[in-house]
Amino acid sequence: MRTVLAFAGAAALCLAGAALATNYSLWINGRTGGGVIGNYADFSYWGPATTEAGINKKAVNWDGRSRISDQNHLVRNALDCYCTGPNWCYVAVHSAGNMMIGYALSMYGGTTRSKKNPVPDSTGVCSNSSDGGTQVGWNIKWVDVAGGAAGGSELADLGDWAVSEPLVSDLKTATARAMYDHNNTRSKWFYMYAGAKGTVYSGALPGQDDEAVAYHSSGGVSGSSGGSYCNPSDWLCNDLTLGTAANQGGRAKWSYHSVMFRDDSETYNHYANGNWGGIVSKVRADMVANAR
């Protein structure tokens, strides 16, 4: 699948004028935030900025605590800057960053965007290109998702996180799943990386989990509510399948969602820990290998 997408992206770049084309790797943070908003060079949420993480990497920072709808313009600013005109993007997201890119594509991916010069001002906004051109949506090759929270978390349902954060309301499972059409990715593939190194306090999460989200969310499982999904070695619940296949028990994944990594060894937790750690490390490795 990646080979086909890469070929299609390359063909489009040739048509647009390869001499002017640039690829970028956008990293969209999750809950808690940490990077300076508008500063695409601030990777403090993730780890050292010197760490390799895909071609021309950019940190798309938002506050990590406000509602998705209130902060989503920051993501759209970055997409306009780096993913319009002749330029193309690879996108990597973590946790609630999954909701951010999903919301942007579903709600705004069919809108007309002004083509931009990829030179942002201090607020992260780029000026229009000199030709004054427009396009529909953004040039995105694919999206890598580490510990995706687009399906919500039972920890939000139960108030285990700070209830003063508006984002926690969005992270409730029923709310997250009803917020936008998760099947409408504008035909962009979401490659899911699901961790399973849970701990005692994550017992409220059904099936395997990475301490913050369960497989039903990190695996892109469809439906209006969560469910219990596990590794094949666990006989107590249905298996989360690899790829795009329906899960054991028959529940499908959302359209254009494919599980690239399932943590069968239960090694990876949810947290980057300021050093590109946990399930983020698997996505970073893929971005290094394939975002070129």
Side-chain angles (χ1 to χ4, degrees):
M1 182 60 70
R2 283 182 188 274
T3 301
V4 173
L5 290 175
F7 178 81
L13 287 175
C14 288
L15 291 173
L20 300 177
T22 303
N23 291 343
Y24 294 93
S25 299
L26 305 188
W27 285 82
I28 304 174
N29 64 264
R31 182 174 172 264
T32 72
V36 174
I37 292 174
N39 182 353
Y40 297 124
D42 185 350
F43 280 84
S44 55
Y45 175 88
W46 305 96
T50 53
T51 301
E52 189 178 1
I55 189 169
N56 296 320
K57 67 181 187 294
K58 303 293 179 181
V60 183
N61 296 310
W62 59 286
D63 70 8
R65 65 177 305 277
S66 298
R67 289 189 178 275
I68 298 298
S69 59
D70 291 340
Q71 292 277 293
N72 194 253
H73 69 282
L74 299 170
V75 172
R76 301 196 302 273
N77 285 345
L79 294 173
D80 288 344
C81 274
Y82 298 112
C83 319
T84 57
N87 302 322
W88 283 75
C89 291
Y90 303 93
V91 180
V93 303
H94 179 225
S95 192
N98 184 186
M99 301 171 74
M100 275 293 186
I101 189 62
Y103 184 93
L105 287 172
S106 179
M107 304 296 287
Y108 298 95
T111 61
T112 299
R113 320 301 302 179
S114 295
K115 297 178 182 179
K116 301 288 186 177
N117 298 310
V119 183
D121 62 19
S122 61
T123 67
V125 175
C126 293
S127 62
N128 292 343
S129 61
S130 58
D131 66 6
T134 62
Q135 66 179 71
V136 175
W138 299 284
N139 308 328
I140 296 174
K141 295 197 174 189
W142 37 258
V143 181
D144 270 358
V145 183
S153 173
E154 286 74 12
L155 297 183
D157 293 347
L158 298 173
D160 285 12
W161 288 326
V163 294
S164 61
E165 294 180 11
L167 177 62
V168 171
S169 295
D170 282 355
L171 284 169
K172 293 180 178 179
T173 51
T175 303
R177 289 170 173 273
M179 187 180 301
Y180 58 91
D181 183 356
H182 291 56
N183 291 302
N184 188 9
T185 69
R186 309 292 170 175
S187 301
K188 310 303 182 185
W189 278 96
F190 280 47
Y191 294 112
M192 315 301 289
Y193 291 73
K197 189 179 181 181
T199 189
V200 174
Y201 67 76
S202 61
L205 296 166
Q208 304 299 158
D209 67 83
D210 63 7
E211 299 186 26
V213 294
Y215 267 6
H216 71 76
S217 182
S218 59
V221 181
S222 67
S224 59
S225 61
S228 184
Y229 296 91
C230 295
N231 294 323
S233 60
D234 192 333
W235 294 356
L236 300 179
C237 60
N238 289 326
D239 294 350
L240 175 72
T241 57
L242 294 172
T244 60
N247 301 290
Q248 185 181 32
R251 179 66 65 84
K253 300 180 179 75
W254 283 306
S255 300
Y256 291 95
H257 284 66
S258 179
V259 175
M260 294 293 283
F261 176 80
R262 180 188 60 208
D263 188 9
D264 291 357
S265 63
E266 302 181 18
T267 302
Y268 297 92
N269 69 12
H270 190 73
Y271 306 104
N273 287 325
N275 196 32
W276 303 90
I279 195 62
V280 169
S281 68
K282 296 297 292 184
V283 162
R284 189 189 73 81
D286 185 69
M287 293 290 283
V288 169
N290 294 302
R292 299 176 177 176

